[in-house]
PDB file of all heavy atoms in Angstrom:
ATOM      1  N   PHE A   1      55.471 -50.402  90.629  1.00  0.00           N
ATOM      2  CA  PHE A   1      56.134 -50.644  91.912  1.00  0.00           C
ATOM      3  C   PHE A   1      55.075 -50.536  93.005  1.00  0.00           C
ATOM      4  O   PHE A   1      54.405 -49.505  93.113  1.00  0.00           O
ATOM      5  CB  PHE A   1      57.221 -49.597  92.185  1.00  0.00           C
ATOM      6  CG  PHE A   1      58.349 -49.600  91.191  1.00  0.00           C
ATOM      7  CD1 PHE A   1      58.270 -48.829  90.040  1.00  0.00           C
ATOM      8  CD2 PHE A   1      59.486 -50.360  91.409  1.00  0.00           C
ATOM      9  CE1 PHE A   1      59.312 -48.821  89.129  1.00  0.00           C
ATOM     10  CE2 PHE A   1      60.527 -50.355  90.503  1.00  0.00           C
ATOM     11  CZ  PHE A   1      60.449 -49.582  89.357  1.00  0.00           C
ATOM     12  N   CYS A   2      54.944 -51.580  93.813  1.00  0.00           N
ATOM     13  CA  CYS A   2      53.946 -51.550  94.882  1.00  0.00           C
ATOM     14  C   CYS A   2      54.569 -51.978  96.199  1.00  0.00           C
ATOM     15  O   CYS A   2      55.456 -52.837  96.237  1.00  0.00           O
ATOM     16  CB  CYS A   2      52.768 -52.466  94.545  1.00  0.00           C
ATOM     17  SG  CYS A   2      51.811 -51.901  93.123  1.00  0.00           S
ATOM     18  N   LEU A   3      54.090 -51.367  97.281  1.00  0.00           N
ATOM     19  CA  LEU A   3      54.578 -51.639  98.623  1.00  0.00           C
ATOM     20  C   LEU A   3      53.481 -52.312  99.441  1.00  0.00           C
ATOM     21  O   LEU A   3      52.357 -51.802  99.507  1.00  0.00           O
ATOM     22  CB  LEU A   3      55.013 -50.336  99.298  1.00  0.00           C
ATOM     23  CG  LEU A   3      56.144 -49.566  98.594  1.00  0.00           C
ATOM     24  CD1 LEU A   3      56.407 -48.240  99.313  1.00  0.00           C
ATOM     25  CD2 LEU A   3      57.413 -50.402  98.530  1.00  0.00           C
ATOM     26  N   TYR A   4      53.829 -53.450 100.055  1.00  0.00           N
ATOM     27  CA  TYR A   4      52.866 -54.222 100.836  1.00  0.00           C
ATOM     28  C   TYR A   4      53.448 -54.478 102.229  1.00  0.00           C
ATOM     29  O   TYR A   4      54.303 -55.359 102.396  1.00  0.00           O
ATOM     30  CB  TYR A   4      52.552 -55.548 100.145  1.00  0.00           C
ATOM     31  CG  TYR A   4      51.953 -55.387  98.764  1.00  0.00           C
ATOM     32  CD1 TYR A   4      52.739 -55.506  97.627  1.00  0.00           C
ATOM     33  CD2 TYR A   4      50.598 -55.094  98.609  1.00  0.00           C
ATOM     34  CE1 TYR A   4      52.201 -55.352  96.356  1.00  0.00           C
ATOM     35  CE2 TYR A   4      50.043 -54.939  97.337  1.00  0.00           C
ATOM     36  CZ  TYR A   4      50.850 -55.070  96.215  1.00  0.00           C
ATOM     37  OH  TYR A   4      50.311 -54.910  94.963  1.00  0.00           O
ATOM     38  N   PRO A   5      53.031 -53.705 103.239  1.00  0.00           N
ATOM     39  CA  PRO A   5      53.527 -53.922 104.604  1.00  0.00           C
ATOM     40  C   PRO A   5      53.089 -55.282 105.132  1.00  0.00           C
ATOM     41  O   PRO A   5      52.007 -55.772 104.814  1.00  0.00           O
ATOM     42  CB  PRO A   5      52.878 -52.790 105.408  1.00  0.00           C
ATOM     43  CG  PRO A   5      52.420 -51.792 104.395  1.00  0.00           C
ATOM     44  CD  PRO A   5      52.085 -52.577 103.168  1.00  0.00           C
ATOM     45  N   PHE A   6      53.953 -55.898 105.944  1.00  0.00           N
ATOM     46  CA  PHE A   6      53.554 -57.124 106.631  1.00  0.00           C
ATOM     47  C   PHE A   6      54.190 -57.129 108.018  1.00  0.00           C
ATOM     48  O   PHE A   6      54.728 -56.114 108.476  1.00  0.00           O
ATOM     49  CB  PHE A   6      53.884 -58.376 105.807  1.00  0.00           C
ATOM     50  CG  PHE A   6      55.340 -58.607 105.516  1.00  0.00           C
ATOM     51  CD1 PHE A   6      56.070 -59.522 106.252  1.00  0.00           C
ATOM     52  CD2 PHE A   6      55.974 -57.940 104.469  1.00  0.00           C
ATOM     53  CE1 PHE A   6      57.405 -59.762 105.983  1.00  0.00           C
ATOM     54  CE2 PHE A   6      57.313 -58.179 104.183  1.00  0.00           C
ATOM     55  CZ  PHE A   6      58.034 -59.086 104.944  1.00  0.00           C
ATOM     56  N   SER A   7      54.121 -58.238 108.716  1.00  0.00           N
ATOM     57  CA  SER A   7      54.448 -58.298 110.133  1.00  0.00           C
ATOM     58  C   SER A   7      55.879 -57.857 110.434  1.00  0.00           C
ATOM     59  O   SER A   7      56.769 -57.972 109.593  1.00  0.00           O
ATOM     60  CB  SER A   7      54.249 -59.725 110.651  1.00  0.00           C
ATOM     61  OG  SER A   7      55.116 -60.620 109.970  1.00  0.00           O
ATOM     62  N   GLY A   8      56.051 -57.360 111.664  1.00  0.00           N
ATOM     63  CA  GLY A   8      57.375 -57.009 112.137  1.00  0.00           C
ATOM     64  C   GLY A   8      57.935 -55.725 111.550  1.00  0.00           C
ATOM     65  O   GLY A   8      59.153 -55.522 111.559  1.00  0.00           O
ATOM     66  N   GLY A   9      57.079 -54.866 111.033  1.00  0.00           N
ATOM     67  CA  GLY A   9      57.546 -53.612 110.462  1.00  0.00           C
ATOM     68  C   GLY A   9      58.241 -53.765 109.128  1.00  0.00           C
ATOM     69  O   GLY A   9      58.959 -52.856 108.681  1.00  0.00           O
ATOM     70  N   GLN A  10      58.041 -54.889 108.455  1.00  0.00           N
ATOM     71  CA  GLN A  10      58.660 -55.132 107.156  1.00  0.00           C
ATOM     72  C   GLN A  10      57.700 -54.768 106.027  1.00  0.00           C
ATOM     73  O   GLN A  10      56.495 -54.630 106.219  1.00  0.00           O
ATOM     74  CB  GLN A  10      59.067 -56.596 107.031  1.00  0.00           C
ATOM     75  CG  GLN A  10      60.077 -57.047 108.065  1.00  0.00           C
ATOM     76  CD  GLN A  10      60.518 -58.483 107.818  1.00  0.00           C
ATOM     77  OE1 GLN A  10      61.334 -58.769 106.954  1.00  0.00           O
ATOM     78  NE2 GLN A  10      59.949 -59.399 108.581  1.00  0.00           N
ATOM     79  N   THR A  11      58.268 -54.633 104.845  1.00  0.00           N
ATOM     80  CA  THR A  11      57.485 -54.281 103.663  1.00  0.00           C
ATOM     81  C   THR A  11      57.975 -55.109 102.479  1.00  0.00           C
ATOM     82  O   THR A  11      59.179 -55.273 102.284  1.00  0.00           O
ATOM     83  CB  THR A  11      57.646 -52.786 103.316  1.00  0.00           C
ATOM     84  OG1 THR A  11      57.291 -51.991 104.452  1.00  0.00           O
ATOM     85  CG2 THR A  11      56.754 -52.400 102.144  1.00  0.00           C
ATOM     86  N   LYS A  12      57.057 -55.619 101.691  1.00  0.00           N
ATOM     87  CA  LYS A  12      57.405 -56.293 100.437  1.00  0.00           C
ATOM     88  C   LYS A  12      57.314 -55.264  99.311  1.00  0.00           C
ATOM     89  O   LYS A  12      56.277 -54.633  99.110  1.00  0.00           O
ATOM     90  CB  LYS A  12      56.450 -57.462 100.187  1.00  0.00           C
ATOM     91  CG  LYS A  12      56.679 -58.220  98.880  1.00  0.00           C
ATOM     92  CD  LYS A  12      57.918 -59.070  98.896  1.00  0.00           C
ATOM     93  CE  LYS A  12      57.801 -60.302  99.729  1.00  0.00           C
ATOM     94  NZ  LYS A  12      56.958 -61.360  99.176  1.00  0.00           N
ATOM     95  N   LEU A  13      58.432 -55.085  98.604  1.00  0.00           N
ATOM     96  CA  LEU A  13      58.459 -54.250  97.410  1.00  0.00           C
ATOM     97  C   LEU A  13      58.324 -55.164  96.208  1.00  0.00           C
ATOM     98  O   LEU A  13      59.152 -56.061  96.001  1.00  0.00           O
ATOM     99  CB  LEU A  13      59.757 -53.456  97.335  1.00  0.00           C
ATOM    100  CG  LEU A  13      60.093 -52.782  95.990  1.00  0.00           C
ATOM    101  CD1 LEU A  13      59.013 -51.790  95.576  1.00  0.00           C
ATOM    102  CD2 LEU A  13      61.459 -52.097  96.056  1.00  0.00           C
ATOM    103  N   VAL A  14      57.290 -54.952  95.417  1.00  0.00           N
ATOM    104  CA  VAL A  14      57.028 -55.776  94.236  1.00  0.00           C
ATOM    105  C   VAL A  14      57.151 -54.907  92.985  1.00  0.00           C
ATOM    106  O   VAL A  14      56.542 -53.839  92.900  1.00  0.00           O
ATOM    107  CB  VAL A  14      55.631 -56.422  94.291  1.00  0.00           C
ATOM    108  CG1 VAL A  14      55.404 -57.305  93.068  1.00  0.00           C
ATOM    109  CG2 VAL A  14      55.462 -57.241  95.570  1.00  0.00           C
ATOM    110  N   SER A  15      57.957 -55.375  92.052  1.00  0.00           N
ATOM    111  CA  SER A  15      58.142 -54.699  90.770  1.00  0.00           C
ATOM    112  C   SER A  15      57.563 -55.590  89.677  1.00  0.00           C
ATOM    113  O   SER A  15      57.954 -56.757  89.555  1.00  0.00           O
ATOM    114  CB  SER A  15      59.636 -54.455  90.507  1.00  0.00           C
ATOM    115  OG  SER A  15      59.868 -54.063  89.169  1.00  0.00           O
ATOM    116  N   ARG A  16      56.633 -55.036  88.913  1.00  0.00           N
ATOM    117  CA  ARG A  16      56.015 -55.818  87.835  1.00  0.00           C
ATOM    118  C   ARG A  16      56.198 -55.107  86.491  1.00  0.00           C
ATOM    119  O   ARG A  16      55.872 -53.924  86.360  1.00  0.00           O
ATOM    120  CB  ARG A  16      54.531 -56.046  88.109  1.00  0.00           C
ATOM    121  CG  ARG A  16      53.799 -56.774  86.963  1.00  0.00           C
ATOM    122  CD  ARG A  16      52.399 -57.193  87.371  1.00  0.00           C
ATOM    123  NE  ARG A  16      52.450 -58.271  88.367  1.00  0.00           N
ATOM    124  CZ  ARG A  16      51.377 -58.726  89.029  1.00  0.00           C
ATOM    125  NH1 ARG A  16      50.198 -58.194  88.797  1.00  0.00           N
ATOM    126  NH2 ARG A  16      51.505 -59.699  89.914  1.00  0.00           N
ATOM    127  N   ASN A  17      56.719 -55.840  85.522  1.00  0.00           N
ATOM    128  CA  ASN A  17      56.856 -55.337  84.157  1.00  0.00           C
ATOM    129  C   ASN A  17      55.887 -56.057  83.241  1.00  0.00           C
ATOM    130  O   ASN A  17      55.823 -57.292  83.243  1.00  0.00           O
ATOM    131  CB  ASN A  17      58.285 -55.556  83.644  1.00  0.00           C
ATOM    132  CG  ASN A  17      59.260 -54.523  84.151  1.00  0.00           C
ATOM    133  OD1 ASN A  17      59.377 -53.439  83.592  1.00  0.00           O
ATOM    134  ND2 ASN A  17      59.970 -54.855  85.224  1.00  0.00           N
ATOM    135  N   ARG A  18      55.143 -55.280  82.477  1.00  0.00           N
ATOM    136  CA  ARG A  18      54.252 -55.812  81.452  1.00  0.00           C
ATOM    137  C   ARG A  18      54.702 -55.189  80.135  1.00  0.00           C
ATOM    138  O   ARG A  18      54.679 -53.957  79.992  1.00  0.00           O
ATOM    139  CB  ARG A  18      52.791 -55.463  81.744  1.00  0.00           C
ATOM    140  CG  ARG A  18      52.328 -55.853  83.139  1.00  0.00           C
ATOM    141  CD  ARG A  18      50.908 -55.383  83.418  1.00  0.00           C
ATOM    142  NE  ARG A  18      49.930 -56.168  82.682  1.00  0.00           N
ATOM    143  CZ  ARG A  18      49.392 -57.310  83.126  1.00  0.00           C
ATOM    144  NH1 ARG A  18      49.747 -57.793  84.315  1.00  0.00           N
ATOM    145  NH2 ARG A  18      48.513 -57.958  82.413  1.00  0.00           N
ATOM    146  N   ILE A  19      55.140 -56.016  79.185  1.00  0.00           N
ATOM    147  CA  ILE A  19      55.737 -55.510  77.946  1.00  0.00           C
ATOM    148  C   ILE A  19      55.090 -56.185  76.749  1.00  0.00           C
ATOM    149  O   ILE A  19      54.941 -57.417  76.711  1.00  0.00           O
ATOM    150  CB  ILE A  19      57.253 -55.753  77.930  1.00  0.00           C
ATOM    151  CG1 ILE A  19      57.922 -55.031  79.107  1.00  0.00           C
ATOM    152  CG2 ILE A  19      57.862 -55.285  76.608  1.00  0.00           C
ATOM    153  CD1 ILE A  19      59.387 -55.345  79.269  1.00  0.00           C
ATOM    154  N   ALA A  20      54.720 -55.381  75.773  1.00  0.00           N
ATOM    155  CA  ALA A  20      54.187 -55.885  74.503  1.00  0.00           C
ATOM    156  C   ALA A  20      55.177 -55.570  73.391  1.00  0.00           C
ATOM    157  O   ALA A  20      55.855 -54.541  73.416  1.00  0.00           O
ATOM    158  CB  ALA A  20      52.833 -55.247  74.198  1.00  0.00           C
ATOM    159  N   ALA A  21      55.256 -56.469  72.424  1.00  0.00           N
ATOM    160  CA  ALA A  21      56.135 -56.261  71.275  1.00  0.00           C
ATOM    161  C   ALA A  21      55.378 -56.614  70.003  1.00  0.00           C
ATOM    162  O   ALA A  21      55.670 -57.613  69.341  1.00  0.00           O
ATOM    163  CB  ALA A  21      57.398 -57.114  71.408  1.00  0.00           C
ATOM    164  N   PRO A  22      54.383 -55.808  69.658  1.00  0.00           N
ATOM    165  CA  PRO A  22      53.468 -56.178  68.571  1.00  0.00           C
ATOM    166  C   PRO A  22      54.109 -56.298  67.199  1.00  0.00           C
ATOM    167  O   PRO A  22      53.648 -57.073  66.370  1.00  0.00           O
ATOM    168  CB  PRO A  22      52.427 -55.051  68.599  1.00  0.00           C
ATOM    169  CG  PRO A  22      53.127 -53.902  69.243  1.00  0.00           C
ATOM    170  CD  PRO A  22      54.031 -54.516  70.270  1.00  0.00           C
ATOM    171  N   SER A  23      55.180 -55.552  66.955  1.00  0.00           N
ATOM    172  CA  SER A  23      55.782 -55.577  65.619  1.00  0.00           C
ATOM    173  C   SER A  23      57.131 -56.280  65.590  1.00  0.00           C
ATOM    174  O   SER A  23      57.855 -56.196  64.595  1.00  0.00           O
ATOM    175  CB  SER A  23      55.941 -54.139  65.101  1.00  0.00           C
ATOM    176  OG  SER A  23      56.750 -53.379  65.975  1.00  0.00           O
ATOM    177  N   ALA A  24      57.472 -56.994  66.656  1.00  0.00           N
ATOM    178  CA  ALA A  24      58.777 -57.643  66.724  1.00  0.00           C
ATOM    179  C   ALA A  24      58.870 -58.817  65.759  1.00  0.00           C
ATOM    180  O   ALA A  24      57.916 -59.580  65.584  1.00  0.00           O
ATOM    181  CB  ALA A  24      59.043 -58.127  68.150  1.00  0.00           C
ATOM    182  N   SER A  25      60.040 -58.960  65.143  1.00  0.00           N
ATOM    183  CA  SER A  25      60.288 -60.094  64.255  1.00  0.00           C
ATOM    184  C   SER A  25      60.501 -61.358  65.082  1.00  0.00           C
ATOM    185  O   SER A  25      60.683 -61.304  66.313  1.00  0.00           O
ATOM    186  CB  SER A  25      61.526 -59.832  63.413  1.00  0.00           C
ATOM    187  OG  SER A  25      62.684 -59.764  64.234  1.00  0.00           O
ATOM    188  N   VAL A  26      60.520 -62.497  64.414  1.00  0.00           N
ATOM    189  CA  VAL A  26      60.777 -63.759  65.106  1.00  0.00           C
ATOM    190  C   VAL A  26      62.159 -63.723  65.756  1.00  0.00           C
ATOM    191  O   VAL A  26      62.326 -64.149  66.908  1.00  0.00           O
ATOM    192  CB  VAL A  26      60.667 -64.943  64.124  1.00  0.00           C
ATOM    193  CG1 VAL A  26      61.120 -66.233  64.810  1.00  0.00           C
ATOM    194  CG2 VAL A  26      59.243 -65.090  63.609  1.00  0.00           C
ATOM    195  N   PHE A  27      63.151 -63.200  65.057  1.00  0.00           N
ATOM    196  CA  PHE A  27      64.500 -63.108  65.619  1.00  0.00           C
ATOM    197  C   PHE A  27      64.506 -62.266  66.891  1.00  0.00           C
ATOM    198  O   PHE A  27      65.108 -62.639  67.898  1.00  0.00           O
ATOM    199  CB  PHE A  27      65.465 -62.508  64.592  1.00  0.00           C
ATOM    200  CG  PHE A  27      66.835 -62.242  65.161  1.00  0.00           C
ATOM    201  CD1 PHE A  27      67.764 -63.263  65.271  1.00  0.00           C
ATOM    202  CD2 PHE A  27      67.179 -60.972  65.612  1.00  0.00           C
ATOM    203  CE1 PHE A  27      69.028 -63.030  65.814  1.00  0.00           C
ATOM    204  CE2 PHE A  27      68.438 -60.721  66.165  1.00  0.00           C
ATOM    205  CZ  PHE A  27      69.357 -61.757  66.256  1.00  0.00           C
ATOM    206  N   THR A  28      63.828 -61.107  66.839  1.00  0.00           N
ATOM    207  CA  THR A  28      63.780 -60.227  68.009  1.00  0.00           C
ATOM    208  C   THR A  28      63.085 -60.905  69.173  1.00  0.00           C
ATOM    209  O   THR A  28      63.526 -60.786  70.327  1.00  0.00           O
ATOM    210  CB  THR A  28      63.063 -58.919  67.656  1.00  0.00           C
ATOM    211  OG1 THR A  28      63.801 -58.243  66.626  1.00  0.00           O
ATOM    212  CG2 THR A  28      62.963 -58.004  68.868  1.00  0.00           C
ATOM    213  N   ARG A  29      62.023 -61.625  68.902  1.00  0.00           N
ATOM    214  CA  ARG A  29      61.314 -62.311  69.982  1.00  0.00           C
ATOM    215  C   ARG A  29      62.193 -63.382  70.632  1.00  0.00           C
ATOM    216  O   ARG A  29      62.203 -63.536  71.858  1.00  0.00           O
ATOM    217  CB  ARG A  29      60.014 -62.931  69.453  1.00  0.00           C
ATOM    218  CG  ARG A  29      58.955 -61.895  69.091  1.00  0.00           C
ATOM    219  CD  ARG A  29      57.685 -62.534  68.565  1.00  0.00           C
ATOM    220  NE  ARG A  29      56.723 -61.524  68.158  1.00  0.00           N
ATOM    221  CZ  ARG A  29      55.874 -60.910  68.981  1.00  0.00           C
ATOM    222  NH1 ARG A  29      55.866 -61.251  70.265  1.00  0.00           N
ATOM    223  NH2 ARG A  29      55.039 -60.000  68.538  1.00  0.00           N
ATOM    224  N   VAL A  30      62.947 -64.123  69.820  1.00  0.00           N
ATOM    225  CA  VAL A  30      63.840 -65.149  70.359  1.00  0.00           C
ATOM    226  C   VAL A  30      64.962 -64.490  71.159  1.00  0.00           C
ATOM    227  O   VAL A  30      65.321 -64.956  72.247  1.00  0.00           O
ATOM    228  CB  VAL A  30      64.407 -66.025  69.226  1.00  0.00           C
ATOM    229  CG1 VAL A  30      65.498 -66.948  69.763  1.00  0.00           C
ATOM    230  CG2 VAL A  30      63.300 -66.834  68.574  1.00  0.00           C
ATOM    231  N   PHE A  31      65.510 -63.403  70.647  1.00  0.00           N
ATOM    232  CA  PHE A  31      66.560 -62.675  71.359  1.00  0.00           C
ATOM    233  C   PHE A  31      66.049 -62.152  72.698  1.00  0.00           C
ATOM    234  O   PHE A  31      66.726 -62.286  73.727  1.00  0.00           O
ATOM    235  CB  PHE A  31      67.060 -61.518  70.487  1.00  0.00           C
ATOM    236  CG  PHE A  31      68.156 -60.701  71.134  1.00  0.00           C
ATOM    237  CD1 PHE A  31      69.462 -61.136  71.107  1.00  0.00           C
ATOM    238  CD2 PHE A  31      67.860 -59.500  71.765  1.00  0.00           C
ATOM    239  CE1 PHE A  31      70.476 -60.394  71.706  1.00  0.00           C
ATOM    240  CE2 PHE A  31      68.866 -58.743  72.373  1.00  0.00           C
ATOM    241  CZ  PHE A  31      70.176 -59.197  72.344  1.00  0.00           C
ATOM    242  N   ASN A  32      64.865 -61.568  72.695  1.00  0.00           N
ATOM    243  CA  ASN A  32      64.278 -61.066  73.941  1.00  0.00           C
ATOM    244  C   ASN A  32      64.065 -62.186  74.943  1.00  0.00           C
ATOM    245  O   ASN A  32      64.317 -62.024  76.152  1.00  0.00           O
ATOM    246  CB  ASN A  32      62.951 -60.367  73.659  1.00  0.00           C
ATOM    247  CG  ASN A  32      63.129 -59.035  72.953  1.00  0.00           C
ATOM    248  OD1 ASN A  32      64.217 -58.463  72.922  1.00  0.00           O
ATOM    249  ND2 ASN A  32      62.055 -58.534  72.355  1.00  0.00           N
ATOM    250  N   LEU A  33      63.602 -63.316  74.448  1.00  0.00           N
ATOM    251  CA  LEU A  33      63.292 -64.456  75.313  1.00  0.00           C
ATOM    252  C   LEU A  33      64.547 -65.032  75.963  1.00  0.00           C
ATOM    253  O   LEU A  33      64.589 -65.246  77.181  1.00  0.00           O
ATOM    254  CB  LEU A  33      62.583 -65.538  74.491  1.00  0.00           C
ATOM    255  CG  LEU A  33      62.282 -66.861  75.195  1.00  0.00           C
ATOM    256  CD1 LEU A  33      61.259 -66.656  76.294  1.00  0.00           C
ATOM    257  CD2 LEU A  33      61.783 -67.899  74.188  1.00  0.00           C
ATOM    258  N   LEU A  34      65.584 -65.253  75.164  1.00  0.00           N
ATOM    259  CA  LEU A  34      66.747 -66.000  75.647  1.00  0.00           C
ATOM    260  C   LEU A  34      67.879 -65.123  76.171  1.00  0.00           C
ATOM    261  O   LEU A  34      68.722 -65.598  76.935  1.00  0.00           O
ATOM    262  CB  LEU A  34      67.280 -66.898  74.522  1.00  0.00           C
ATOM    263  CG  LEU A  34      66.304 -67.953  74.004  1.00  0.00           C
ATOM    264  CD1 LEU A  34      66.941 -68.754  72.883  1.00  0.00           C
ATOM    265  CD2 LEU A  34      65.844 -68.884  75.129  1.00  0.00           C
ATOM    266  N   ILE A  35      67.905 -63.867  75.779  1.00  0.00           N
ATOM    267  CA  ILE A  35      68.989 -62.974  76.189  1.00  0.00           C
ATOM    268  C   ILE A  35      68.487 -61.851  77.098  1.00  0.00           C
ATOM    269  O   ILE A  35      69.000 -61.631  78.196  1.00  0.00           O
ATOM    270  CB  ILE A  35      69.709 -62.367  74.969  1.00  0.00           C
ATOM    271  CG1 ILE A  35      70.219 -63.481  74.039  1.00  0.00           C
ATOM    272  CG2 ILE A  35      70.845 -61.465  75.425  1.00  0.00           C
ATOM    273  CD1 ILE A  35      71.219 -64.425  74.675  1.00  0.00           C
ATOM    274  N   MET A  36      67.467 -61.127  76.640  1.00  0.00           N
ATOM    275  CA  MET A  36      67.006 -59.961  77.391  1.00  0.00           C
ATOM    276  C   MET A  36      66.311 -60.348  78.693  1.00  0.00           C
ATOM    277  O   MET A  36      66.461 -59.656  79.709  1.00  0.00           O
ATOM    278  CB  MET A  36      66.079 -59.110  76.524  1.00  0.00           C
ATOM    279  CG  MET A  36      66.758 -58.512  75.292  1.00  0.00           C
ATOM    280  SD  MET A  36      68.188 -57.485  75.721  1.00  0.00           S
ATOM    281  CE  MET A  36      67.360 -56.088  76.483  1.00  0.00           C
ATOM    282  N   GLU A  37      65.549 -61.428  78.692  1.00  0.00           N
ATOM    283  CA  GLU A  37      64.874 -61.836  79.936  1.00  0.00           C
ATOM    284  C   GLU A  37      65.879 -62.161  81.045  1.00  0.00           C
ATOM    285  O   GLU A  37      65.785 -61.604  82.141  1.00  0.00           O
ATOM    286  CB  GLU A  37      63.951 -63.030  79.676  1.00  0.00           C
ATOM    287  CG  GLU A  37      62.630 -62.658  79.042  1.00  0.00           C
ATOM    288  CD  GLU A  37      61.676 -63.838  78.948  1.00  0.00           C
ATOM    289  OE1 GLU A  37      61.945 -64.875  79.613  1.00  0.00           O
ATOM    290  OE2 GLU A  37      60.679 -63.733  78.234  1.00  0.00           O
ATOM    291  N   PRO A  38      66.867 -63.043  80.803  1.00  0.00           N
ATOM    292  CA  PRO A  38      67.858 -63.284  81.861  1.00  0.00           C
ATOM    293  C   PRO A  38      68.648 -62.028  82.210  1.00  0.00           C
ATOM    294  O   PRO A  38      68.970 -61.795  83.385  1.00  0.00           O
ATOM    295  CB  PRO A  38      68.770 -64.364  81.249  1.00  0.00           C
ATOM    296  CG  PRO A  38      67.921 -65.038  80.221  1.00  0.00           C
ATOM    297  CD  PRO A  38      67.050 -63.958  79.664  1.00  0.00           C
ATOM    298  N   GLY A  39      68.945 -61.201  81.210  1.00  0.00           N
ATOM    299  CA  GLY A  39      69.651 -59.950  81.486  1.00  0.00           C
ATOM    300  C   GLY A  39      68.846 -59.020  82.369  1.00  0.00           C
ATOM    301  O   GLY A  39      69.400 -58.335  83.239  1.00  0.00           O
TER     302      GLY A  39
END
């Protein structure tokens, strides 16, 4: 989570997720891609 102030007293809040799934099966990867990402 990072905060970046900009004009007018406003701030941009940026949330970044970096996730690895080294042992995931093909089914799990497809499920994560099509279901978990939109969720």
Side-chain angles (χ1 to χ4, degrees):
F1 297 89
C2 294
L3 300 176
Y4 300 99
F6 62 101
S7 62
Q10 299 184 78
T11 304
K12 178 72 73 73
L13 166 60
V14 182
S15 168
R16 176 170 290 171
N17 280 276
R18 307 175 73 87
I19 300 173
S23 59
S25 65
V26 172
F27 173 81
T28 298
R29 290 180 183 276
V30 171
F31 180 81
N32 289 344
L33 175 67
L34 299 179
I35 304 299
M36 296 302 290
E37 281 187 14

